[in-house]
C-alpha cells in the first residue's frame, strides 16, 4: 500500500511529467490560455493515461513476454486507438470542447507523456495497481501543471511583457520558473 | 471682496500619505538592523554579500527599465533580501548573477514592478540553488574576527579558488534532518547559529516585521497564519513521534521568520483579500513542514513561498468578494449556464 501511495505522490509532484521531466509540453504550451480548457484537457489526458496504463499492463503480461520486440509498436498502436476513442466520445458529448481543443486533441496521440508512461511503467516493472497509481498521479500532475499555468496566464494577460517575449517565449520562461519552484518537492517521502 | 473660491475635484478626497516609494524605502530601512546583525554575526563577508546583491539588482534594474524606476526602491529591497538569504561565504560573482536573475527573470520579464508573479529575490535564490548547489549550502560558523572572510568571497568566476580555511558547520535544520540533533531554542532566537546571512536572529526579524505591521505596510495575517500553521502542525507531529522536530524549533530555525515576515508578505505577490491571505499563509506553513519533515531538502521555506506564489491567481479568484447588491459570482455563472 505504501508503495502505491509513494508512486502516486512521486508521479504527481516529485517527478511531475510536465514540470520536472518535461514530457507533454505541447498541450502545456498550446491549451493553457484558459483555466476551463486546461481543466478539460487535463481530464482528457488522465482518461487516456489510465486506459493506456491498463492496456499496457495487459500487454506486458500476456503479449510482450513472448514478443518483446513488439513493445514500441504495440504501445503506439494502443495509444493511437485510445485517443481515437476519446476523440469520438468528446466530439459526440461536447462539441464545444472539441472545437476548443482543436488540433491538440488528436495530438494527444503524440503526447510524449503518454508514451513515456507506457515506457516507464514497463522499465520500472510496475504491476497493475502501481501502474494505475502512476497513471492517475501523472495525469493529475499534468492537470495541475496545466491549470496552474492557465490561471497564471489569465492573471498576466494584461501584464506588459516585453514584446520580444510575448507568447510562447514567455510561457516557456514561466514554465521554467514553475519548475524551479517544484524542485522543492525533490526527494519527498523517499526517506520514510 | 474677492469671489469665494470653489474647488471642484474628482473623488476620492481622502488620500493617504503613503506612496510606493515611501513604503518601499521604509521596508529597506526596516531591513537595516537585520543587515547590521548579520554583520555582527558573520563579519565583513555578510556585508559584502548584501552589498553585492544590492548593487547587482540596482544595476540590472537601471539597465533594463531605465532610470525611472530606481527611485521606488523595489530593486533595492530585492537586492538586500537576496543578500540576506545567501550564505556569507558565497563567492561574490555568483551573488551578482543571482541579482541579475532576480530582476531579469523575476520581475522585468513580467513587465516590471506590480506585475511579477513570484518574489524576485526568491527566484534569484532558487536559480542559484539550482546552478551552484554546493556553494549555496556551505554554511560558515557565526562569530570570529570581523574582518576575517567567511569563505572564498573573491573567487574568480568558474575557477577553483584557494579557499581560506573557514570553519563550516551544518545549519540547525541540517543537523536535525541528517543527524537528528536539536539546537537550543535560546540560540535560535538570538541568532548565534549557522545559516544564511539574515536567517539567524529570529527576534530581530520579528521586531522589524512588527514595526512594518504596525505601519500597515505588511499584512500581519500572512506571517501569523504561516507561523500558527507551521508551529501547530510540527507540534502535533512531535507529539505523535518525538523524533520529529518540535513546534518552537520549526518556527525559529532556518528561513521561516525571514520568509514569513519579509518574503511572503510582498504586496505584489500575495493575495488581495484578507481571506486569501489566511489561505496563502496556511498553505505556506503546511508546505514548509511537509518539505522539512518528509522532503529531501533540510529547508523548504523558499520553495513553499514560490509554490504558493504560483497559486495566488487561483486564490484571488476563489476569494473574490461579492459586490454589494449583486449575487455571488458562482451563482451568477450557474444562472448564465442554465438560461
Amino acid at each position: 500500500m505504501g508503495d502505491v501511495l509513494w508512486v502516486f505522490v512521486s508521479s504527481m509532484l516529485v517527478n511531475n511529467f510536465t514540470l520536472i521531466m518535461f514530457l507533454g509540453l505541447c498541450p502545456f504550451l498550446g491549451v493553457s490560455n484558459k483555466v476551463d480548457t486546461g481543466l478539460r484537457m487535463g481530464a482528457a489526458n488522465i482518461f487516456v493515461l489510465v486506459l493506456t496504463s491498463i492496456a499496457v499492463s495487459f500487454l506486458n503480461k500476456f503479449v510482450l513476454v513472448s514478443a518483446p520486440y513488439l513493445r514500441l509498436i504495440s504501445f503506439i498502436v494502443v495509444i493511437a486507438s485510445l485517443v481515437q476513442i476519446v476523440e469520438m466520445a468528446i466530439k459526440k458529448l461536447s462539441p464545444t470542447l472539441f472545437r476548443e481543443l482543436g488540433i491538440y486533441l488528436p495530438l494527444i496521440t503524440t503526447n510524449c507523456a503518454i508514451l513515456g508512461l507506457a515506457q516507464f511503467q514497463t522499465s520500472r516493472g510496475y504491476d497493475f495497481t502501481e501502474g494505475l497509481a502512476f497513471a492517475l498521479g501523472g495525469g493529475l500532475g499534468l492537470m495541475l501543471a496545466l491549470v496552474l499555468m492557465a490561471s497564471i496566464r489569465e492573471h498576466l494577460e494584461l501584464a506588459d511583457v516585453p514584446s520580444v517575449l510575448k507568447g510562447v517565449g514567455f510561457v516557456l520562461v514561466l514554465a521554467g520558473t514553475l519548475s524551479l519552484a517544484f524542485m522543492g518537492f525533490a526527494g519527498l517521502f523517499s526517506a520514510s | 471682496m474677492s469671489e469665494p473660491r470653489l474647488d471642484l475635484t474628482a473623488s476620492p478626497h481622502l488620500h493617504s500619505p503613503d506612496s510606493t516609494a515611501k513604503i518601499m524605502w521604509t521596508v529597506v530601512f526596516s531591513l537595516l538592523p537585520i543587515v547590521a546583525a548579520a554583520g555582527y554575526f558573520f563579519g565583513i563577508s555578510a556585508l559584502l554579500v548584501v552589498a553585492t546583491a544590492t548593487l547587482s539588482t540596482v544595476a540590472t534594474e537601471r539597465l533594463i527599465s531605465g532610470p525611472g524606476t530606481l527611485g521606488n526602491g523595489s530593486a533595492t529591497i530585492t537586492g538586500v533580501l537576496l543578500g540576506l538569504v545567501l550564505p556569507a561565504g558565497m563567492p561574490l560573482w555568483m551573488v551578482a548573477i543571482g541579482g541579475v536573475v532576480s530582476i531579469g527573470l523575476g520581475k522585468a520579464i513580467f513587465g516590471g514592478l506590480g506585475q511579477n508573479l513570484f518574489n524576485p529575490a526568491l527566484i534569484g535564490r532558487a536559480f542559484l540553488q539550482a546552478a551552484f548547489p554546493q556553494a549555496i549550502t556551505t554554511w560558515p560558523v557565526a562569530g570570529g574576527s570581523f574582518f576575517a572572510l567567511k569563505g572564498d568571497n573573491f573567487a574568480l568566476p568558474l575557477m577553483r579558488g584557494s579557499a581560506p580555511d573557514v570553519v563550516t558547520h551544518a545549519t540547525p535544520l541540517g543537523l536535525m534532518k541528517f543527524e537528528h540533533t536539536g539546537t537550543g531554542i535560546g540560540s535560535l532566537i538570538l541568532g548565534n547559529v549557522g545559516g544564511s546571512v539574515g536567517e539567524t536572529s529570529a527576534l530581530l526579524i520579528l521586531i522589524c516585521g512588527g514595526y512594518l505591521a504596525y505601519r500597515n505596510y505588511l499584512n500581519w495575517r500572512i506571517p501569523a497564519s504561516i507561523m500558527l500553521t507551521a508551529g501547530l502542525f510540527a507540534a502535533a507531529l512531535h507529539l505523535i513521534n518525538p523524533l520529529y522536530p518540535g513546534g518552537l524549533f520549526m518556527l525559529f530555525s532556518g528561513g521561516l521568520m525571514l520568509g514569513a515576515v519579509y518574503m511572503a508578505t510582498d504586496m505584489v505577490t500575495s493575495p488581495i483579500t484578507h481571506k486569501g491571505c489566511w489561505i496563502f499563509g496556511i498553505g505556506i506553513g503546511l508546505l514548509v513542514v511537509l518539505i522539512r519533515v518528509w522532503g529531501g531538502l533540510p529547508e523548504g521555506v523558499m520553495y513553499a513561498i514560490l509554490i504558493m506564489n504560483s497559486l495566488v491567481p487561483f486564490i484571488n479568484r476563489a476569494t473574490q468578494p461579492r459586490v454589494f447588491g449583486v449575487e455571488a459570482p458562482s451563482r451568477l455563472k450557474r444562472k448564465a449556464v442554465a438560461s
Side-chain angles (χ1 to χ4, degrees):
Chain A
M1 187 61 211
D3 248 17
V4 173
L5 197 69
W6 184 78
V7 168
F8 179 75
V9 174
S10 136
S11 60
M12 185 164 73
L13 298 175
V14 184
N15 292 314
N16 187 299
F17 273 156
T18 312
L19 293 176
I20 303 293
M21 307 209 299
F22 300 113
L23 295 173
L25 283 183
C26 39
F28 187 58
L29 301 181
V31 281
S32 57
N33 342 329
K34 276 206 233 134
V35 173
D36 279 355
T37 328
L39 210 62
R40 292 170 182 185
M41 185 67 183
N45 261 316
I46 293 180
F47 187 69
V48 176
L49 279 170
V50 169
L51 285 186
T52 309
S53 159
I54 295 172
V56 165
S57 292
F58 279 103
L59 273 179
N60 279 337
K61 192 140 190 182
F62 300 113
V63 182
L64 295 178
V65 254
S66 48
Y69 51 89
L70 280 180
R71 200 166 103 178
L72 206 55
I73 286 194
S74 56
F75 286 173
I76 292 175
V77 170
V78 163
I79 293 169
S81 38
L82 279 175
V83 173
Q84 274 304 312
I85 296 173
V86 172
E87 197 181 340
M88 283 175 346
I90 290 183
K91 196 173 181 180
K92 185 80 184 157
L93 294 175
S94 166
T96 344
L97 179 62
F98 185 75
R99 246 177 289 124
E100 270 178 54
L101 291 178
I103 186 68
Y104 291 99
L105 190 57
L107 270 183
I108 296 181
T109 318
T110 53
N111 188 340
C112 31
I114 318 268
L115 187 60
L117 170 105
Q119 293 279 34
F120 280 125
Q121 191 180 339
T122 313
S123 65
R124 291 178 190 167
Y126 287 154
D127 63 12
F128 183 73
T129 31
E130 282 170 337
L132 263 186
F134 186 46
L136 258 183
L140 284 175
L142 263 180
M143 194 183 202
L144 177 76
L146 259 173
V147 170
L148 258 185
M149 180 53 102
S151 71
I152 291 172
R153 280 179 75 175
E154 277 186 10
H155 177 77
L156 292 174
E157 212 159 344
L158 297 176
D160 311 324
V161 177
S163 53
V164 281
L165 274 170
K166 279 244 164 79
V168 178
F170 183 60
V171 180
L172 279 173
V173 172
L174 272 181
T177 319
L178 270 180
S179 139
L180 268 183
F182 265 68
M183 278 174 61
F185 288 123
L188 199 67
F189 296 121
S190 58
S192 53
Chain B
M1 209 175 123
S2 61
E3 288 276 304
R5 260 187 68 200
L6 182 62
D7 281 336
L8 286 177
T9 54
S11 63
H13 301 290
L14 283 171
H15 65 95
S16 89
D18 292 336
S19 64
T20 309
K22 192 177 168 205
I23 294 174
M24 293 291 177
W25 287 112
T26 314
V27 176
V28 171
F29 289 126
S30 81
L31 280 167
L32 286 183
I34 301 173
V35 174
Y40 171 75
F41 286 118
F42 290 110
I44 189 138
S45 283
L47 302 183
L48 275 175
V49 167
V50 174
T52 313
T54 314
L55 267 180
S56 156
T57 50
V58 169
T60 315
E61 177 90 6
R62 172 75 177 77
L63 269 179
I64 295 181
S65 312
T69 56
L70 282 187
N72 66 30
S74 66
T76 319
I77 294 188
T78 302
V80 176
L81 282 179
L82 175 68
L84 286 178
V85 293
L86 295 174
M90 190 99 178
L92 295 181
W93 67 274
M94 295 181 186
V95 178
I97 290 181
V100 173
V101 171
S102 292
I103 295 294
L105 286 185
K107 199 167 75 175
I109 208 167
F110 293 94
L113 179 66
Q115 315 192 50
N116 50 314
L117 188 73
F118 300 97
N119 187 313
L122 288 180
I123 292 285
R125 171 77 160 72
F127 179 85
L128 289 178
Q129 173 100 47
F132 311 109
Q134 166 126 53
I136 208 165
T137 46
T138 308
W139 310 106
V141 163
S145 159
F146 178 77
F147 287 103
L149 286 184
K150 291 289 180 186
D152 199 4
N153 281 127
F154 293 105
L156 290 172
L158 309 179
M159 305 270 247
R160 192 164 284 280
S162 54
D165 292 334
V166 178
V167 188
T168 59
H169 192 253
T171 60
L173 278 169
L175 281 177
M176 187 51 129
K177 180 127 208 158
F178 302 118
E179 288 157 40
H180 296 291
T181 35
T183 308
I185 296 295
S187 45
L188 283 177
I189 291 178
L190 289 179
N192 197 11
V193 290
S196 296
V197 168
E199 70 181 29
T200 49
S201 175
L203 187 66
L204 197 61
I205 296 172
L206 273 183
I207 294 173
C208 296
Y211 169 70
L212 286 182
Y214 167 72
R215 296 284 301 266
N216 222 356
Y217 287 171
L218 60 80
N219 192 335
W220 60 267
R221 290 164 188 84
I222 296 175
S225 55
I226 294 177
M227 289 173 201
L228 271 178
T229 316
L232 288 180
F233 190 16
L237 285 178
H238 188 65
L239 271 184
I240 296 169
N241 182 352
L243 202 64
Y244 292 136
L248 278 179
F249 176 81
M250 193 59 86
L251 277 187
F252 289 106
S253 60
L256 194 130
M257 280 296 160
L258 193 69
V261 173
Y262 279 100
M263 303 287 193
T265 53
D266 180 354
M267 287 181 170
V268 180
T269 59
S270 55
I272 298 169
T273 58
H274 291 331
K275 202 166 129 202
C277 285
W278 284 109
I279 300 173
F280 181 68
I282 291 171
I284 292 178
L286 289 179
L287 281 173
V288 166
V289 178
L290 186 80
I291 294 176
R292 278 187 182 178
V293 174
W294 289 295
L297 306 162
E299 174 62 307
V301 173
M302 165 178 77
Y303 292 116
I305 296 177
L306 283 177
I307 290 169
M308 286 313 284
N309 276 165
S310 71
L311 284 172
V312 164
F314 237 41
I315 298 176
N316 278 342
R317 178 205 277 250
T319 57
Q320 201 173 6
R322 192 172 63 94
V323 178
F324 184 66
V326 174
E327 275 184 83
S330 58
R331 291 181 67 185
L332 274 181
K333 202 172 163 192
R334 220 172 297 146
K335 257 188 193 167
V337 170
S339 62

